[in-house]
Amino acid sequence: MFIKNDYLEREEIIILLKLSKKGKGETIKKPSNEKPPELKTVSAKQADRLIQGVVGGVVILNIALVILIASGYKPTQKVVHVSDDVTKATTNASVDWQAKVYLDGFVKRYFNFPEEEKAQEKTVKALNAYYGQPLPVISQGQVRKPSKFKNATLMRLTNDEATYKVIYSAGKTTTKTVKKGKGTAKQNIVTYHDETTMFTVPYIKAGSSYYVSDQPYFTSLQDLQANVNQIPTKTFSDVDDNKPSVKKALDKFTKSLFTAYTTDGDTLKLISDGLTLNTSEKFKSLDQSVYKAKGNTYEATVQVTMGNALGTHVENYRFIIEKQKQSYFATEFKHSLPEGKTNE
């Protein structure tokens, strides 16, 4: 039996490399003591054993997996598939926070306009950088007064515009004659007063970056308060028709419910579902209550007085009370009174 050592293996590699260059006129002679490499063959019996071993291993793995699942084993990693509809809804409803950060910077710089001429030139240059290119301006009658940015609230953000409610201090420059040495001199005095406006900035997203795409514009403030004719009435005009004893029992339960709501989380869990312990307030009194009977349940509408560090205030609740043998259980809480018709 012939065993090749490392030296002979390296010699074989060198010989093969030289053989590849034979076309260039090199003659290669094979050493007389070299034997051709032997090819190992696998018998049919050995092949059968190899296949049987692989199949047996797969069977054992499957049996082990069945045992693990039967014993309650669950994989620690989960693959979560999100439907296209959910992905689209999330994408459409999401806010481009990067755009907001970019536009916040522009708004702040736009309304911070200094008094000194050199500082104004620096600010104008910084503002022009947001546009990326000079915008055509036909009018030559522009006059920019000093101003100081105070705060801004983003009111609306679309794919191409952002509208802010901006509060700023507008400067008014007056010329005053003051004494200077033996003579007099003129001095500019700037006084400021607060202004509030709606300010819209057109913009475009370019890749992962942004630029202001056109001249921003101003609009008047929007009145966000709904007209009185649009507001439905809310009253306690409904009166329940429960027996006095039933009304008394329900009031007693309601008082216990709100006492537990502000003092005892364990009791709260036993008599309700939907409220979480609220130790920031204290239940003071049950001021009004209406219970409408519907089978074995009651639709409760109540007003309670709560106290906290600011004093006392009223809160409205609607919920369902279910009778359970000799006790009650409350669910489905809403912080509102039922709505009636509008005043139109």
Side-chain angles (χ1 to χ4, degrees), residues 4-280:
K4 293 183 284 185
N5 57 31
D6 293 341
Y7 174 78
L8 290 178
E9 288 180 1
R10 288 194 295 271
E11 287 295 315
E12 287 178 358
I13 294 171
I14 294 172
I15 290 169
L16 290 172
L17 290 173
K18 289 181 178 180
L19 282 171
S20 65
K21 298 178 181 180
K22 190 174 180 181
K24 296 181 180 180
E26 297 183 11
T27 303
I28 308 299
K29 293 183 178 181
K30 182 179 178 182
S32 59
N33 61 344
E34 180 179 337
K35 291 184 179 181
E38 298 178 0
L39 296 176
K40 292 183 179 181
T41 60
V42 179
S43 66
K45 186 176 182 180
Q46 289 174 326
D48 289 340
R49 288 179 179 176
L50 181 61
I51 294 172
Q52 290 174 1
V54 172
V55 173
V58 172
V59 172
I60 292 172
L61 287 174
N62 286 333
I63 292 172
L65 181 60
V66 170
I67 294 172
L68 284 173
I69 294 174
S71 63
Y73 170 80
K74 292 182 179 180
T76 56
Q77 295 182 350
K78 295 181 180 179
V79 178
V80 180
H81 298 279
V82 181
S83 68
D84 290 339
D85 290 340
V86 174
T87 303
K88 289 176 182 177
T90 303
T91 303
N92 293 337
S94 61
V95 175
D96 188 345
W97 296 108
Q98 291 189 122
K100 179 184 180 303
V101 171
Y102 172 81
L103 296 167
D104 285 353
F106 174 79
V107 172
K108 185 175 181 180
R109 188 176 292 277
Y110 188 95
F111 286 92
N112 266 332
F113 201 75
E115 300 174 11
E116 298 78 12
E117 187 175 345
K118 288 185 178 181
Q120 288 179 354
E121 293 176 358
K122 186 177 179 181
T123 299
V124 170
K125 186 177 180 180
L127 282 171
N128 288 338
Y130 279 89
Y131 301 100
Q133 59 180 335
L135 296 178
V137 177
I138 308 303
S139 171
Q140 300 300 319
Q142 298 180 89
V143 176
R144 180 63 193 269
K145 299 178 181 179
S147 60
K148 296 178 181 179
F149 173 82
K150 298 194 76 172
N151 64 68
T153 303
L154 180 63
M155 304 298 289
R156 184 174 61 92
L157 180 64
T158 66
N159 292 332
D160 55 9
E161 280 190 343
T163 300
Y164 289 82
K165 179 181 179 181
V166 182
I167 300 176
Y168 65 99
S169 294
K172 182 179 180 181
T173 304
T174 57
T175 303
K176 207 173 186 180
T177 302
V178 296
K179 291 183 179 180
K180 189 174 182 181
K182 295 182 179 180
T184 59
K186 292 184 178 180
Q187 182 179 355
N188 290 332
I189 306 296
V190 181
T191 56
Y192 291 88
H193 63 280
D194 288 349
E195 293 281 350
T196 304
T197 186
M198 300 296 287
F199 183 68
T200 299
V201 185
Y203 78 98
I204 288 178
K205 183 175 183 178
S208 59
S209 304
Y210 306 86
Y211 65 92
V212 177
S213 58
D214 214 314
Q215 299 287 359
Y217 58 91
F218 296 79
T219 53
S220 60
L221 290 176
Q222 300 173 348
D223 188 1
L224 301 180
Q225 176 60 50
N227 188 284
V228 65
N229 293 329
Q230 299 173 302
I231 304 172
T233 58
K234 291 189 175 185
T235 66
F236 269 101
S237 57
D238 291 335
V239 179
D240 59 41
D241 54 0
N242 297 295
K243 295 179 180 179
S245 59
V246 174
K247 178 71 160 55
K248 183 177 179 181
L250 290 170
D251 278 347
K252 183 178 179 180
F253 169 76
T254 301
K255 291 176 183 178
S256 301
L257 172 67
F258 285 98
T259 299
Y261 173 53
T262 58
T263 60
D264 188 351
D266 292 333
T267 301
L268 184 65
K269 292 177 183 178
L270 296 175
I271 61 176
S272 69
D273 181 25
L275 288 180
T276 305
L277 179 65
N278 179 12
T279 56
S280 66

